[in-house]
CSV table of all heavy atoms in Angstrom, one decimal:
chain,number,residue,atom,x,y,z
A,356,ASN,N,-107.0,25.0,-2.6
A,356,ASN,CA,-107.6,24.8,-1.2
A,356,ASN,C,-107.7,26.2,-0.6
A,356,ASN,O,-108.7,26.5,0.0
A,356,ASN,CB,-106.7,24.0,-0.4
A,356,ASN,CG,-106.9,22.5,-0.6
A,356,ASN,OD1,-107.8,22.1,-1.3
A,356,ASN,ND2,-106.0,21.6,-0.1
A,359,LYS,N,-110.6,27.9,-2.2
A,359,LYS,CA,-111.8,27.1,-2.0
A,359,LYS,C,-112.4,27.3,-0.6
A,359,LYS,O,-113.6,27.5,-0.4
A,359,LYS,CB,-111.5,25.7,-2.2
A,359,LYS,CG,-112.6,24.7,-2.2
A,359,LYS,CD,-112.3,23.4,-2.8
A,359,LYS,CE,-111.4,22.6,-1.9
A,359,LYS,NZ,-111.2,21.2,-2.4
A,360,TYR,N,-111.5,27.3,0.4
A,360,TYR,CA,-112.0,27.3,1.8
A,360,TYR,C,-112.2,28.8,2.3
A,360,TYR,O,-112.5,29.0,3.5
A,360,TYR,CB,-111.0,26.5,2.8
A,360,TYR,CG,-111.1,25.1,2.4
A,360,TYR,CD1,-110.0,24.4,1.8
A,360,TYR,CD2,-112.3,24.3,2.6
A,360,TYR,CE1,-110.1,23.1,1.5
A,360,TYR,CE2,-112.4,23.0,2.2
A,360,TYR,CZ,-111.3,22.4,1.7
A,360,TYR,OH,-111.4,21.1,1.3
A,386,ASP,N,-103.5,31.9,3.7
A,386,ASP,CA,-104.9,32.4,3.4
A,386,ASP,C,-105.5,32.8,4.7
A,386,ASP,O,-105.0,32.6,5.8
A,386,ASP,CB,-105.7,31.2,2.8
A,386,ASP,CG,-105.8,30.0,3.7
A,386,ASP,OD1,-106.4,30.2,4.9
A,386,ASP,OD2,-105.4,28.9,3.3
A,391,ILE,N,-107.2,25.2,10.4
A,391,ILE,CA,-107.3,23.7,10.6
A,391,ILE,C,-107.1,23.4,12.1
A,391,ILE,O,-106.1,23.9,12.7
A,391,ILE,CB,-106.2,23.0,9.8
A,391,ILE,CG1,-106.5,23.4,8.3
A,391,ILE,CG2,-106.3,21.5,9.9
A,391,ILE,CD1,-105.2,23.3,7.4
A,399,ILE,N,-104.6,15.7,7.7
A,399,ILE,CA,-105.0,16.2,6.4
A,399,ILE,C,-104.2,15.8,5.3
A,399,ILE,O,-104.6,15.9,4.1
A,399,ILE,CB,-105.2,17.8,6.5
A,399,ILE,CG1,-103.8,18.4,6.8
A,399,ILE,CG2,-106.3,18.3,7.4
A,399,ILE,CD1,-103.8,19.9,6.7
A,404,TYR,N,-108.8,12.0,3.8
A,404,TYR,CA,-109.1,12.6,5.1
A,404,TYR,C,-109.7,14.0,4.9
A,404,TYR,O,-109.0,14.8,4.2
A,404,TYR,CB,-107.9,12.7,6.1
A,404,TYR,CG,-108.4,13.3,7.4
A,404,TYR,CD1,-109.0,12.5,8.4
A,404,TYR,CD2,-108.2,14.7,7.6
A,404,TYR,CE1,-109.4,13.1,9.6
A,404,TYR,CE2,-108.7,15.3,8.8
A,404,TYR,CZ,-109.3,14.4,9.8
A,404,TYR,OH,-109.7,15.0,10.9
A,405,ARG,N,-110.8,14.4,5.4
A,405,ARG,CA,-111.4,15.7,5.4
A,405,ARG,C,-111.7,16.1,6.8
A,405,ARG,O,-112.3,15.3,7.6
A,405,ARG,CB,-112.6,15.8,4.5
A,405,ARG,CG,-112.4,15.2,3.1
A,405,ARG,CD,-113.5,15.7,2.1
A,405,ARG,NE,-113.2,17.1,1.7
A,405,ARG,CZ,-114.1,17.9,1.2
A,405,ARG,NH1,-115.4,17.5,1.1
A,405,ARG,NH2,-113.8,19.1,0.8
A,406,VAL,N,-111.5,17.4,7.1
A,406,VAL,CA,-111.8,17.9,8.5
A,406,VAL,C,-113.3,17.8,8.6
A,406,VAL,O,-114.0,18.2,7.7
A,406,VAL,CB,-111.2,19.3,8.7
A,406,VAL,CG1,-111.6,19.8,10.0
A,406,VAL,CG2,-109.7,19.3,8.5
A,409,THR,N,-116.3,20.1,7.0
A,409,THR,CA,-115.9,20.8,5.8
A,409,THR,C,-117.0,20.8,4.8
A,409,THR,O,-117.6,19.7,4.4
A,409,THR,CB,-114.6,20.1,5.2
A,409,THR,OG1,-113.6,20.1,6.2
A,409,THR,CG2,-114.1,20.8,4.0
A,413,GLY,N,-114.9,18.5,-2.5
A,413,GLY,CA,-113.5,18.0,-2.5
A,413,GLY,C,-113.4,16.5,-2.4
A,413,GLY,O,-114.5,15.9,-2.1
A,414,THR,N,-112.3,16.0,-2.7
A,414,THR,CA,-112.1,14.5,-2.6
A,414,THR,C,-111.4,14.0,-1.4
A,414,THR,O,-111.3,12.8,-1.0
A,414,THR,CB,-111.3,14.0,-3.9
A,414,THR,OG1,-110.1,14.7,-3.8
A,414,THR,CG2,-112.1,14.3,-5.1
A,415,GLY,N,-110.6,14.9,-0.8
A,415,GLY,CA,-109.8,14.6,0.4
A,415,GLY,C,-108.5,13.9,0.0
A,415,GLY,O,-107.8,13.3,0.9
A,416,ILE,N,-108.2,14.0,-1.2
A,416,ILE,CA,-106.9,13.3,-1.7
A,416,ILE,C,-105.9,14.3,-2.1
A,416,ILE,O,-104.7,13.9,-2.4
A,416,ILE,CB,-107.3,12.3,-2.8
A,416,ILE,CG1,-106.4,11.1,-2.7
A,416,ILE,CG2,-107.3,12.9,-4.1
A,416,ILE,CD1,-106.8,10.0,-3.6
A,417,GLY,N,-106.2,15.6,-2.2
A,417,GLY,CA,-105.3,16.6,-2.7
A,417,GLY,C,-104.0,16.7,-1.9
A,417,GLY,O,-102.9,16.6,-2.5
A,418,LEU,N,-104.1,16.9,-0.6
A,418,LEU,CA,-102.9,17.1,0.2
A,418,LEU,C,-102.1,15.8,0.3
A,418,LEU,O,-100.8,15.9,0.4
A,418,LEU,CB,-103.3,17.6,1.6
A,418,LEU,CG,-103.8,19.1,1.6
A,418,LEU,CD1,-104.1,19.5,3.1
A,418,LEU,CD2,-102.7,20.0,1.1
B,1,ADP,P1,-110.0,18.3,-0.2
B,1,ADP,O1,-109.7,19.7,-0.2
B,1,ADP,O2,-110.3,17.7,-1.6
B,1,ADP,O3,-111.1,17.9,0.8
B,1,ADP,P2,-107.3,17.9,0.6
B,1,ADP,O4,-106.6,16.7,0.8
B,1,ADP,O5,-106.8,19.0,-0.3
B,1,ADP,O6,-108.8,17.5,0.2
B,1,ADP,O7,-107.5,18.6,2.0
B,1,ADP,C1,-107.9,17.7,3.1
B,1,ADP,C2,-108.6,18.5,4.1
B,1,ADP,O8,-107.8,19.6,4.7
B,1,ADP,C3,-109.7,19.3,3.5
B,1,ADP,O9,-110.9,18.5,3.4
B,1,ADP,C4,-109.9,20.4,4.5
B,1,ADP,O10,-110.7,20.0,5.6
B,1,ADP,C5,-108.6,20.7,5.0
B,1,ADP,N1,-107.9,21.8,4.3
B,1,ADP,C6,-107.0,21.7,3.3
B,1,ADP,N2,-106.5,23.0,3.0
B,1,ADP,C7,-107.2,23.8,3.8
B,1,ADP,C8,-107.1,25.3,3.9
B,1,ADP,N3,-106.3,26.0,3.2
B,1,ADP,N4,-107.9,25.8,4.9
B,1,ADP,C9,-108.7,25.1,5.7
B,1,ADP,N5,-108.8,23.7,5.6
B,1,ADP,C10,-108.0,23.1,4.7
Side-chain angles (χ1 to χ4, degrees):
N356 280 351
K359 184 165 76 177
Y360 294 111
D386 65 58
I391 299 154
I399 56 173
Y404 182 82
R405 305 199 80 202
V406 176
T409 302
T414 57
I416 210 171
L418 289 179

